[in-house]
C-alpha cells in the first residue's frame, strides 16, 4: 500500500517552554512539538491534539503543516512521546521533508497465510523494516506470506517485495521473520503424561 495522501494540520509557533508551558498547552487539548531538518533551526510548535492523534494512527504519516497561517511545510513523525499511564500525547518530533526527497523510515511488517501444521511459532525478529523511500510515497506497510512455512524457515529482508521506488535500508540477509519449532518441553510433558496413563492401565 502506498500512502499517497497527506494530513493537513494547523500549527502555531510557540515561545513558551518548560513543563509548566507544556501542561498549559495540553490542557487546551494541544500537543507541543518540534520541527527540524534540512539544517534549519528547530521550530517549536503547538499542534491540535485530537487531529494529531488521528494522523499518527497511520505509520510514517505525511503531515502538511500550515504554520501560523503563513508558511506550509511537509513533515513526517520521528519521535512520539506518550504518557505511559493515560496514553495521551506528551510531545512529538517532526522531521521536515521535501517532495521527491528520499527518507529512511521503518515500515510495519504484516503477515498473511498459515504456517505448516505442528503448532510452530512465528517470531517477528524485526517488527518494522528499515527502508529508503520517497517522502511523499512512503508505503504504509509490507505484507509477507508465511503460508506453509516449516520450523526453521526464515524470511530475510531481501525476500520481501517492496513497492517501486523503495529500497532496503538494512542488510539484505537480515532475518525479519523466523519459524520456531513447537516447545520441546510441552512435547515431553505430553509424552510423560501418556506414559503415566499407560502405566496406570
Amino acid at each position: 500500500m502506498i500512502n499517497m495522501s497527506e494530513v493537513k494540520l494547523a500549527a502555531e509557533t510557540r515561545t513558551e517552554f518548560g513543563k509548566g508551558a507544556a501542561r498549559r498547552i495540553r490542557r487546551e487539548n494541544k500537543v507541543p512539538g518540534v520541527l527540524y531538518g534540512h539544517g534549519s533551526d528547530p521550530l517549536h510548535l503547538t499542534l491540535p491534539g485530537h487531529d494529531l492523534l488521528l494522523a499518527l494512527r497511520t505509520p510514517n504519516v505525511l503531515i502538511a503543516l500550515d504554520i501560523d497561517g503563513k508558511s506550509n511545510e511537509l513533515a513526517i513523525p520521528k519521535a512520539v512521546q506518550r504518557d505511559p499511564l493515560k496514553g495521551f500525547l506528551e510531545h512529538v518530533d517532526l522531521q521536515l521533508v521535501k517532495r521527491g526527497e528520499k527518507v529512511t523510515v521503518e515500515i510495519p511488517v504484516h503477515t498473511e497465510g498459515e504456517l505448516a501444521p505442528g503448532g510452530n511459532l512465528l517470531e517477528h525478529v524485526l517488527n518494522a523494516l528499515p527502508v529508503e523511500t520517497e517522502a511523499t510515497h512512503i508505503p504504509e506497510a509490507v505484507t509477507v506470506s508465511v503460508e506453509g512455512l516449516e520450523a526453521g524457515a526464515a524470511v530475510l529482508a531481501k525476500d520481501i517485495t517492496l513497492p517501486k521506488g523503495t529500497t532496503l535500508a538494512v542488510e539484505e540477509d537480515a532475518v525479519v521473520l523466523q519459524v520456531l519449532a513447537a516447545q520441546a518441553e510441552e512435547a515431553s510433558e505430553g509424552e510423560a503424561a501418556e506414559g503415566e496413563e499407560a502405566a496406570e492401565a
Side-chain angles (χ1 to χ4, degrees):
M1 288 175 67
I2 300 293
N3 177 16
M4 297 290 285
S5 60
E6 51 197 59
V7 176
K8 292 180 169 58
L9 293 180
E12 303 160 3
T13 50
R14 61 187 167 98
T15 51
E16 288 186 298
F17 306 103
K19 287 187 176 175
R23 273 198 296 272
R24 275 197 298 280
I25 290 168
R26 287 195 289 269
R27 266 204 301 273
E28 295 171 6
N29 293 320
K30 294 180 179 178
V31 179
V34 176
L35 175 67
Y36 63 91
H38 296 159
S40 56
D41 289 335
L43 189 60
H44 296 268
L45 301 172
T46 301
L47 299 144
H50 182 67
D51 293 346
L52 179 62
L53 194 62
L54 291 178
L56 292 175
R57 286 182 179 174
T58 302
N60 302 307
V61 62
L62 185 66
I63 298 172
L65 294 168
D66 177 354
I67 302 171
D68 295 331
K70 295 175 187 171
S71 64
N72 294 287
E73 301 286 2
L74 287 175
I76 55 174
K78 285 309 278 184
V80 178
Q81 292 173 24
R82 296 176 187 269
D83 180 271
L85 295 176
K86 297 180 181 172
F88 62 78
L89 295 173
E90 288 193 322
H91 188 275
V92 63
D93 285 359
L94 299 172
Q95 179 185 337
L96 201 58
V97 295
K98 286 187 166 62
R99 292 186 193 283
E101 178 188 6
K102 291 274 190 178
V103 292
T104 300
V105 294
E106 293 189 351
I107 55 175
V109 178
H110 296 165
T111 58
E112 62 183 9
E114 298 288 329
L115 298 176
N120 297 324
L121 300 172
L122 181 66
E123 182 189 12
H124 285 254
V125 180
L126 291 179
N127 282 316
L129 186 68
V131 297
E132 187 180 70
T133 187
E134 225 176 284
T136 49
H137 293 79
I138 298 175
E140 283 192 18
V142 287
T143 301
V144 181
S145 173
V146 295
E147 187 67 42
L149 291 185
E150 305 270 357
V155 176
L156 306 180
K158 65 183 177 186
D159 300 330
I160 296 175
T161 304
L162 297 173
K164 189 179 174 189
T166 300
T167 55
L168 289 174
V170 67
E171 293 290 330
E172 286 190 352
D173 292 331
V175 176
V176 180
L177 301 163
Q178 62 185 11
V179 183
L180 305 176
Q183 293 295 329
E185 290 168 22
E186 290 175 16
S188 60
E189 279 173 21
E191 286 164 15
E194 283 170 19
E196 283 168 19
E197 283 169 18
E200 284 171 14

